[in-house]
Amino acid sequence: MTDIPHDTEFGDLELWFVTGSQHLYGEEALEIVDEHSGEIAASLSASDQIPVDVVHKPVLTTRDAIEEIVMEANATENCVGLITWMHTFSPAKMWIRGLQALEKPFVHLHTQYNERLPYSEIDMDFMNVNQSAHGGREFGHIVSRLDVDRKVVVGHWEDDAVLEQLGTWTRAACAWYDLRGAKIARFGDNMRDVAVTEGDKVAAEMTFGATVDGYGLGDLVEYVDAVSTAEIDDLVATYEDEYELAPELAEDGEKRDSLREAARIELGIRAFLEDGEFVGFTTTFENLTGLTQLPGLAVQRLMADGYGFGPEGDWKSALLTRAMKVMGRGLEGGTSLMEHYTYDLADETVLGAHMLEICESIAGEQPRLEIHPLDIGGKADPVRSVFDAAAGPAVNATVVDVGDRFRMIVNDVETVEPAEDLPNLPVARALWDPQPGFETAIEAWIKAGGAHHTGYSQAVTAQHLKDFAEMADIEFLHVDEETDLDDFERELQWNETYHRLN
């Protein structure tokens, strides 16, 4: 299964293609530069790798023009970032004011129009126009001198590797754009006495641009109680079309009313989120006053529709899963809230699950709706969707508040088929081999302070998340097949020193 369709997701979002040059080479050269720039922008825009329109902007040759285009980009709501390219030498002092004013992320595309040297035809006219090799270095110098964050992509603009890097960065930029001004609703508070799900919500708004606000269960229950019988009938009919139902949830089943109540809760939460224009939410089993069952199926289906989610009040997981949902739109595989639940120490695998709330987008089979007792929360037995995650490569990521900053930790994993059936485990789940191996991966995660909740994705890669972390200016740690524990511990120490000094 995949998340929501690609063609409805990125809408009218744009990347602006900005080319630097100067008047030294004459108007004819600038016309050639502009023609080449337009051709490259159109080609990038048509690429399946890049999920938004790439808009060609006029060639920039003066300080005022550069600052003007930057201010326009800052003020243009649907512009998620810039691609900058130096076709000729563009004296970098011209870029200072513009770069200092830039509020959008940008990627420096270090390419040139021609892939190969035209050996038999090359002359000084060609050399005057095609100067990316040193024009890009001049631009790169001033960006580094100003200490402005950016991505650098090197290679010919038609190469698959370049398009892949640009597409990955663009998806991260779209997630960054999505969180600016986004709203997360917390139904109830944090799970009592838990450390890792806490954090500084003011710092989160300063860092990610998203607000995290709490709402009493009474606010939600009003929406749940307002759901009509007809709305419930329609949603239950959808359940029957989309799922295999356990016999007790069938039309004449003894637990049919529980299925209807699950539908009522889903409709109530959905209406609350839509009215408040929220992109994510949290719940906690320690605050369910007014609800008859812990939201399980509701959360699973809302996540499948693109909402971020965090259990037990874990708003950082809600932010992260939302960002990963946006990054993964239209890609194969899904994204879900996940939890490191238990181990098979003989096979050195991790069983990931949660009480109820695993997103159906990662399912490797048709989910089955079931109802089982839940000893946590003190409410009626909740309905949930049960399935095994599809096998294949994936990532687990977490964002933690380490006191003076946020830290993102990512672990590459290989999801595998369970060695045996799990007939008595009444929740959705994923079983994976962590890279580079069980002991190294787990020790590195723990030493980095990684949470038990993660954003798990078969669509998003560590590179998507690294690009996003760089835009947010947060610490990034990657546990992959090359990780060595001694090196990882040194990286933790160096990062600590850097961030304390910075």
Side-chain angles (χ1 to χ4, degrees):
M1 299 179 69
T2 57
D3 291 333
I4 1 187
H6 166 256
D7 59 359
T8 63
E9 287 315 299
F10 292 102
D12 63 349
L13 298 184
E14 298 176 350
L15 276 177
W16 287 9
F17 193 85
V18 175
T19 306
S21 187
Q22 61 176 317
H23 285 283
L24 179 65
Y25 312 109
E27 292 304 313
E28 183 178 350
L30 287 177
E31 289 175 5
I32 295 172
V33 169
D34 188 60
E35 179 183 337
H36 290 175
S37 176
E39 183 180 343
I40 294 174
S43 178
L44 297 180
S45 191
S47 170
D48 290 338
Q49 297 269 31
I50 300 174
V52 303
D53 290 333
V54 178
V55 179
H56 172 234
K57 292 295 178 178
V59 177
L60 302 177
T61 58
T62 67
R63 285 176 173 82
D64 290 343
I66 291 168
E67 188 172 23
E68 183 178 331
I69 199 73
V70 164
M71 300 308 288
E72 183 183 353
N74 289 344
T76 302
E77 185 175 350
N78 65 332
C79 173
V80 300
L82 309 181
I83 301 175
T84 60
W85 175 46
M86 304 303 114
H87 193 330
T88 69
F89 194 81
S90 181
K93 287 171 65 178
M94 296 191 307
W95 288 86
I96 292 174
R97 293 204 316 256
L99 289 169
Q100 287 177 326
L102 183 61
E103 298 172 358
K104 300 289 177 82
F106 79 96
V107 55
H108 176 189
L109 176 59
H110 189 58
T111 189
Q112 62 184 27
Y113 178 73
N114 56 300
E115 184 175 21
R116 300 186 62 85
L117 281 175
Y119 288 96
S120 63
E121 301 172 7
I122 192 168
D123 56 19
M124 284 311 299
D125 288 337
F126 179 91
M127 295 287 278
N128 284 339
V129 173
N130 296 280
Q131 299 184 34
S132 298
H134 68 294
R137 283 168 168 77
E138 169 77 355
F139 179 72
H141 167 76
I142 202 64
V143 179
S144 295
R145 174 79 182 270
L146 293 170
D147 194 25
V148 176
D149 292 329
R150 87 288 203 186
K151 172 87 171 180
V152 178
V153 175
V154 179
H156 192 256
W157 49 277
E158 292 180 306
D159 287 350
D160 286 342
V162 168
L163 293 172
E164 181 180 357
Q165 290 180 74
L166 290 174
T168 296
W169 181 88
T170 300
R171 289 177 173 277
C174 288
W176 178 242
Y177 165 88
D178 178 78
L179 284 189
R180 310 300 290 172
K183 298 164 62 179
I184 303 293
R186 298 178 75 218
F187 298 125
D189 199 359
N190 191 62
M191 181 180 172
R192 289 185 281 275
D193 293 328
V194 176
V196 76
T197 52
E198 292 279 13
D200 187 337
K201 295 186 285 295
V202 175
E205 186 167 354
M206 293 167 60
T207 301
F208 301 106
T211 62
V212 181
D213 292 318
Y215 295 86
L217 262 290
D219 298 324
L220 174 59
V221 169
E222 285 184 10
Y223 278 82
V224 174
D225 289 345
V227 174
S228 70
T229 300
E231 290 175 300
I232 295 172
D233 290 342
D234 288 344
L235 185 52
V236 169
T238 298
Y239 292 165
E240 291 176 326
D241 288 341
E242 295 183 0
Y243 303 94
E244 176 189 356
L245 268 59
E248 58 268 31
L249 298 176
E251 187 170 3
D252 297 326
E254 59 181 300
K255 296 290 187 177
R256 181 70 167 190
D257 287 345
S258 296
L259 183 66
R260 294 182 62 82
E261 187 61 23
R264 181 190 297 277
I265 293 171
E266 177 184 338
L267 290 163
I269 297 176
R270 189 179 295 275
F272 186 101
L273 297 176
E274 290 176 352
D275 281 359
E277 297 183 336
F278 296 98
V279 302
F281 66 105
T282 72
T283 62
T284 174
F285 59 79
E286 289 186 321
N287 192 344
L288 296 172
T289 304
L291 297 179
T292 58
Q293 55 182 261
L294 176 66
L297 180 61
V299 174
Q300 293 177 291
R301 287 175 54 82
L302 286 161
M303 263 198 289
D305 282 346
Y307 286 97
F309 175 71
E312 295 120 38
D314 188 356
W315 52 269
K316 295 187 295 300
S317 287
L319 282 172
L320 179 60
T321 54
R322 170 62 182 187
M324 293 172 72
K325 288 282 186 183
V326 174
M327 291 181 223
R329 284 169 170 169
L331 299 178
E332 289 297 320
T335 296
S336 178
L337 176 279
M338 188 60 71
E339 179 170 277
H340 291 71
Y341 225 103
T342 192
Y343 300 136
D344 185 324
L345 291 176
D347 288 343
E348 297 190 330
T349 53
V350 181
L351 180 64
H354 206 262
M355 291 181 297
L356 304 171
E357 309 99 334
I358 301 298
C359 179
E360 299 167 3
S361 65
I362 68 169
E365 59 196 26
Q366 182 187 23
R368 172 182 166 88
L369 295 193
E370 300 180 7
I371 183 170
H372 300 278
L374 183 68
D375 294 334
I376 299 174
K379 292 292 181 177
D381 299 344
V383 177
R384 79 290 305 268
S385 173
V386 178
F387 55 84
D388 289 311
V395 294
N396 270 305
T398 187
V399 170
V400 293
D401 185 340
V402 293
D404 57 356
R405 65 191 183 278
F406 291 99
R407 170 183 289 166
M408 179 184 287
I409 309 155
V410 179
N411 183 206
D412 295 342
V413 304
E414 184 71 23
T415 305
V416 297
E417 299 284 351
E420 300 178 32
D421 291 337
L422 299 161
N424 297 313
L425 182 61
V427 293
R429 58 266 177 162
L431 185 71
W432 65 78
D433 287 318
Q435 302 298 317
F438 183 86
E439 293 179 1
T440 297
I442 303 305
E443 184 174 342
W445 188 275
I446 289 173
K447 286 189 172 179
H452 54 288
H453 293 155
T454 72
Y456 167 96
S457 184
Q458 298 166 327
V460 172
T461 66
Q463 188 61 58
H464 289 99
L465 292 160
K466 184 174 187 289
D467 287 344
F468 177 84
E470 289 175 349
M471 291 174 197
D473 194 23
I474 64 173
E475 183 181 359
F476 178 84
L477 294 166
H478 187 196
V479 182
D480 64 2
E481 63 180 0
E482 303 296 329
T483 296
D484 173 84
L485 271 177
D486 289 338
D487 292 340
F488 189 81
E489 289 179 12
R490 279 190 288 271
E491 184 177 3
L492 283 171
Q493 293 169 347
W494 295 336
N495 286 2
E496 190 70 23
T497 301
Y498 167 80
H499 285 283
R500 291 290 169 87
L501 291 175
N502 199 37

